[in-house]
Amino acid sequence: MVEIEIDGQKVEVPEGSMVIQAAKKNGTYIPHFCYHKKLSIAANCRMCLVEVEKAPKAVPACATPVAAGMVVKTNSEKAVKAQQSVMEFLLINHPLDCPICDQGGECQLQDLAVGYGKSASRYQEEKRVVFHKNVGPLISMEEMSRCIHCTRCVRFGQEVAGVMEFGMLGRGEHSEITSFVGKTVDSELSGNMIDLCPVGALTSKPFRYSARTWELSRRKSVSPHDGVGANLVVQVKNNQVMRVVPLENESVNECWISDKDRFSYEGLNSAERLTKPMLKQGGRWHEVDWQTALEYVGHGLTDIVRDFGADAVAALATPHATVEELFLLQKFMRGLGSDNVDFRLRQSDFSAQTKGAPWLGLPIADLNRLNSVLVVGSFLRKDHPLLAARLRAAVKAGAQLNVLHAADDDLLVRIANKAIAAPSAWALELAGIAVAAATAKGAAVPAELAAVAPTDAARAIAASLINGERRAILLGNAVVQHPQFAQLHALAQVIADITGASLGFLTEGANTVGGHIARATSAQGAAALFDTPRQAYVLLHAEPDFDAANPAQARAALGAAKMVVSLSPFKHGLEYADVLLPIAPYTETAGTFVNCEGLVQPFNGVVRALGETRPAWKVLRVLGNLLKLSGFEYDTAEQVRDEALAGFSAAALDNRAGTALAAPQLAAAGLERLADVPIYHADALVRRAPSLHLTNDAKAALRATLPAALFDSLGLAAGDAIVIRQGNASVTLPAARSATLPANVVRVPSATPASAALGAMFGEISVEKA
């Protein structure tokens, strides 16, 4: 530690700290623009000039390291005069358009101009003009004349998002921030650049000109999308969500959120919002009152249980539903006498019986401190953008990232070792890593794996895990969705036991852990509830044609059912549903999500419910009362939460595989499907956010990607139509060429209207030119 003096006060800070960091610890504010605690130091705005004793000139506080005995003055005449001079230079070319600027009211330049600016400008020449640029549907660069060249956006792209999408051209007054020629900004974290911009140069395109910051009320919430559970500030005007920005929480999402978290609010006001209960009669839909709809559901379920037994009724939810909703759904079903309730819609293999809820295996914040990590079967950047950013930070600090996957996607980070293989070969690859690790450690090779010969990649990955001090094996969404999930889990457990690594899951939804805690799971799993069709289905937030592991099978089962009840914020499933009950999205209800590290995060509704929408927990409570089931006397969401989480502790989280190890089978010989869940098709809310569906990520989800050799052998050009057959189903999609896929793997995204006609997410397919 080093002791220095700031404005007459002594302060101790770590050696290597900058003066601005010491001042912050001391509670002293130094004005700045380019400095940001999460970014490298650029020292190019010079607003933080301070006086340091014995230094001939004022020095930038952000780029001046502390030294023992240093005496700093932040508000001396010399420092203040330097800061005022810098402010005068910054304002020379700045346009006087505060009245129409979206940043007005929350602008750093405005705030500091009040404190350090003059009332009149001495500059008489013409101001410079910087032409606007189109960088995509999310970020507006219409007024780049406002840019003060702090380069926060440039540094964020390089250092946090992992890709340099902005850079600075020119010198002096000809300098300007721009994207690469003809390129848009496509990072899944790009919206954070809007927050970082200290002026109104980068603004939110969907939010542009829709509200003034002082008109907005701010309310805390939690993201409903992925396993991080990013903390949000939802900004509201006239009972409508206008904007979503991050709420800083260093142990969860730091100060970032993904574009999915930021822009999905557009879906809340979609034309597809369901605002009144609806019944289908004679093939036509009619709006009805709640009493009529609920009594219809109650009578229908009672009749089916009486005529066919309780096993003829099934309930399916998604991991984006709250703990309260999932808890009451399973309680309602078990009150009817049925165990058929599950939220794991995209999982197909349920033979792995684990003791507790699968979780990350370590706190989210510890990802930054790992030395070695193996990520298996994860489209990391798109499935978990914020976890990818943390692993990127770990690699920058010297960690080794190893990958086993079927697509060699650019993760925008240095990969130490990778094994790219078809999904059917993953078990063999993991077995090779286990054998290599056992051999290197001098441990006994499990008898089931005795015939496995490790590849060079397997040996390198094993060595990386053994040599790391803090190591982890992380299983991605595609592992859980894999038809051999139980075996992959068991093999990963063997590797973890041999190497001493922690084993964890990169959980799919905001409430995957919470769903297990709420006991919204059945022994046979969700897939069996479609495989053996039931007479009645209750769907909670679920859209099985997009959310199920086998959409075609799900649609067939729903179409054959006598009754399908859909509890959803949106009009969906009009072909197979009989009743639509409008329930509240996360912004209109109180609830709880349990994130991937097991952190319980309750939240409240931020706006009044739209139309006659009701919170799902209240709808399920009333249904329980209508059917005279016991234990449905709740007045608040908190009462439901307390009962659902009673007895929950870290002991309820357990990743240990419950399946016996078996010898891995040989990989399949034919063409295999690899089905990613595209980032902007993953759940009902993002599927209805217009701006997100104008991005390149959303457009890429609407085509099939072929390995280069297959693409060339079919004589295709980019965008040509191909016919993909899977079982008895077929779809026609535009084709794209990839040099990063194994020769026998075709990537056909799931959760899209086209893929809804196909079968399972994995399996044998055939491809031909249309």
Side-chain angles (χ1 to χ4, degrees):
M1 301 291 279
V2 175
E3 186 179 79
I4 68 170
E5 182 184 305
I6 298 179
D7 293 341
Q9 288 183 289
K10 301 273 195 231
V11 60
E12 272 198 352
V13 291
E15 195 172 348
S17 298
M18 299 297 156
V19 169
I20 198 167
Q21 293 161 337
K24 187 171 183 181
K25 185 177 180 183
N26 199 39
T28 302
Y29 178 72
I30 296 175
H32 61 275
F33 292 112
C34 67
Y35 172 77
H36 191 277
K37 63 183 178 181
K38 293 286 183 184
L39 303 177
S40 62
I41 288 164
N44 52 6
C45 78
R46 318 307 278 185
M47 191 65 217
C48 63
L49 292 174
V50 293
E51 181 181 354
V52 173
E53 205 169 77
K54 296 179 182 170
K57 296 179 181 178
V59 296
C62 70
T64 303
V66 295
M70 180 184 271
V71 177
V72 179
K73 296 173 184 173
T74 69
N75 55 10
S76 66
E77 185 183 354
K78 186 177 189 177
V80 171
K81 197 168 181 181
Q83 291 161 359
Q84 288 174 339
S85 299
V86 169
M87 179 55 72
E88 185 174 20
F89 272 110
L90 286 175
L91 292 176
I92 275 177
N93 274 308
H94 202 79
L96 300 174
D97 58 0
C98 294
I100 58 123
C101 179
D102 265 353
Q103 197 88 343
E106 53 186 10
C107 174
Q108 229 175 314
L109 187 66
Q110 262 184 352
D111 295 343
L112 295 184
V114 171
Y116 301 91
K118 296 182 178 177
S119 57
S121 173
R122 295 182 286 172
Y123 186 75
Q124 300 297 322
E125 289 75 20
E126 282 188 16
K127 289 181 180 280
R128 76 184 195 134
V129 173
V130 181
F131 288 106
H132 68 270
K133 298 146 183 91
N134 180 18
V135 291
L138 304 180
I139 299 177
S140 172
M141 295 181 78
E142 289 292 318
E143 286 90 11
M144 288 306 291
S145 299
R146 298 172 185 161
C147 179
I148 60 169
H149 306 144
C150 69
T151 68
R152 279 184 179 184
C153 55
V154 178
R155 285 175 286 146
F156 171 83
Q158 288 176 292
E159 296 163 19
V160 180
V163 56
M164 184 177 177
E165 294 183 292
F166 281 141
M168 189 151 76
L169 288 177
R171 294 174 65 84
E173 70 164 7
H174 301 296
S175 301
E176 58 181 274
I177 299 290
T178 185
S179 61
F180 287 90
V181 177
K183 296 284 186 182
T184 53
V185 173
D186 298 317
S187 164
E188 57 283 349
L189 297 170
S190 67
N192 293 293
M193 297 178 185
I194 298 166
D195 296 336
L196 285 171
C197 185
V199 296
L202 303 181
T203 53
S204 167
K205 199 172 269 190
F207 173 71
R208 187 172 159 79
Y209 293 155
S210 58
R212 283 302 196 176
T213 179
W214 53 85
E215 300 172 325
L216 302 171
S217 42
R218 290 159 173 76
R219 290 151 196 180
K220 296 178 183 178
S221 192
V222 178
S223 166
H225 299 299
D226 62 31
V228 172
N231 291 198
L232 311 175
V233 174
V234 181
Q235 301 185 350
V236 176
K237 178 186 175 185
N238 297 336
N239 200 50
Q240 186 173 336
V241 175
M242 305 300 291
R243 185 165 61 167
V244 173
V245 295
L247 174 65
E248 186 171 347
N249 185 335
E250 194 60 32
S251 63
V252 178
N253 56 298
E254 302 175 274
C255 53
W256 318 121
I257 55 175
S258 70
D259 289 352
K260 181 163 60 170
D261 301 328
R262 184 182 300 271
F263 297 107
S264 66
Y265 73 87
E266 286 189 298
L268 297 169
N269 305 310
S270 161
E272 290 183 45
R273 270 302 295 267
L274 178 65
T275 56
K276 287 187 176 181
M278 298 180 77
L279 283 181
K280 187 194 283 181
Q281 293 173 323
R284 296 173 66 88
W285 284 99
H286 303 276
E287 291 183 348
V288 296
D289 58 60
W290 270 102
Q291 186 74 19
T292 304
L294 291 172
E295 286 180 356
Y296 182 91
V297 173
H299 289 313
L301 293 177
T302 303
D303 291 348
I304 287 169
V305 170
R306 183 193 64 223
D307 297 342
F308 300 96
D311 192 53
V313 182
L316 295 150
T318 74
H320 308 285
T322 65
V323 166
E324 294 81 354
E325 292 165 356
L326 291 169
F327 177 73
L328 287 184
L329 182 68
Q330 65 83 23
K331 191 172 184 178
F332 176 75
M333 293 302 294
R334 290 181 172 124
L336 291 175
S338 172
D339 190 51
N340 301 332
V341 57
D342 218 305
F343 70 93
R344 299 166 293 174
L345 292 187
R346 292 197 177 107
Q347 189 172 331
S348 57
D349 176 13
F350 291 89
S351 58
Q353 295 300 323
T354 49
K355 296 174 185 172
W359 68 299
L360 187 62
L362 71 169
I364 289 173
D366 285 0
L367 289 175
N368 299 54
R369 295 185 273 276
L370 291 173
N371 300 129
S372 177
V373 59
L374 168 61
V375 177
V376 185
S378 176
F379 297 92
L380 192 60
R381 277 179 57 200
K382 307 304 177 184
D383 288 347
H384 308 284
L386 295 173
L387 299 185
R390 283 192 180 270
L391 289 174
R392 211 169 277 128
V395 171
K396 283 178 69 177
Q400 289 195 330
L401 177 60
N402 307 285
V403 172
L404 166 57
H405 202 20
D408 191 8
D409 289 352
D410 186 359
L411 299 181
L412 304 178
V413 62
R414 187 176 68 254
I415 306 292
N417 306 288
K418 58 189 172 188
I420 306 302
S424 64
W426 288 358
L428 206 56
E429 292 289 340
L430 280 176
I433 296 169
V435 170
T439 306
K441 292 271 285 189
V445 174
E448 296 85 354
L449 309 182
V452 175
T455 62
D456 291 342
R459 290 192 191 91
I461 292 170
S464 173
L465 288 172
I466 290 167
N467 296 331
E469 184 184 341
R470 294 179 297 277
R471 44 199 173 246
I473 299 168
L474 302 175
L475 304 181
N477 296 353
V479 171
V480 180
Q481 294 155 4
H482 198 286
Q484 294 174 294
F485 166 52
Q487 275 307 302
L488 296 177
H489 188 184
L491 286 162
Q493 184 68 64
V494 169
I495 299 168
D497 291 343
I498 293 170
T499 61
S502 69
L503 176 64
F505 287 88
L506 299 167
T507 58
E508 179 182 4
N511 205 28
T512 299
V513 178
H516 284 271
I517 294 163
R519 297 191 302 114
T521 56
S522 60
Q524 73 267 41
L529 302 181
F530 290 129
D531 190 30
T532 306
R534 313 289 154 153
Q535 298 295 329
Y537 287 94
V538 179
L539 306 177
L540 174 66
H541 290 289
E543 300 178 346
D545 31 0
F546 298 141
D547 296 331
N550 189 329
Q553 185 186 65
R555 282 292 294 268
L558 292 167
K562 291 186 180 297
M563 184 179 196
V564 177
V565 182
S566 177
L567 286 76
S568 174
F570 304 103
K571 292 176 184 172
H572 183 83
L574 301 180
E575 310 82 19
Y576 52 75
D578 300 287
V579 190
L580 299 179
L581 301 179
I583 58 168
Y586 80 106
T587 50
E588 298 169 23
T589 183
T592 306
F593 292 135
V594 184
N595 75 356
C596 60
E597 72 166 47
L599 179 67
V600 176
Q601 299 195 101
F603 58 91
N604 291 311
V606 298
V607 291
R608 290 191 307 277
L610 195 63
E612 294 182 27
T613 296
R614 297 287 182 269
W617 71 266
K618 286 188 176 180
V619 176
L620 291 165
R621 180 200 65 189
V622 174
L623 276 172
N625 291 333
L626 265 178
L627 273 67
K628 297 183 172 56
L629 305 179
S630 63
F632 278 81
E633 294 74 36
Y634 304 101
D635 294 320
T636 65
E638 286 75 18
Q639 290 175 338
V640 185
R641 178 195 313 146
D642 291 344
E643 186 177 333
L645 298 176
F648 168 63
S649 68
L653 305 172
D654 188 1
N655 289 327
R656 284 204 70 82
T659 311
L661 196 62
Q665 298 172 345
L666 289 174
L671 274 186
E672 291 183 45
R673 179 182 177 189
L674 172 67
D676 57 318
V677 180
I679 183 170
Y680 302 134
H681 291 78
D683 61 71
L685 193 55
V686 292
R687 285 197 278 267
R688 292 168 174 87
S691 296
L692 292 177
H693 283 268
L694 296 173
T695 61
N696 285 337
D697 273 337
K699 292 170 186 172
L702 303 178
R703 59 179 181 250
T705 308
L706 276 60
L710 176 62
F711 187 93
D712 296 341
S713 69
L714 290 173
L716 296 171
D720 281 359
I722 55 171
V723 177
I724 296 167
R725 301 187 194 283
Q726 187 176 17
N728 297 322
S730 67
V731 293
T732 302
L733 290 172
R737 184 181 188 272
S738 171
T740 62
L741 288 172
N744 64 328
V745 172
V746 177
R747 185 164 168 173
V748 186
S750 63
T752 66
S755 69
L758 288 175
M761 295 174 70
F762 295 87
E764 193 175 321
I765 60 170
S766 65
V767 176
E768 60 189 59
K769 191 171 181 177

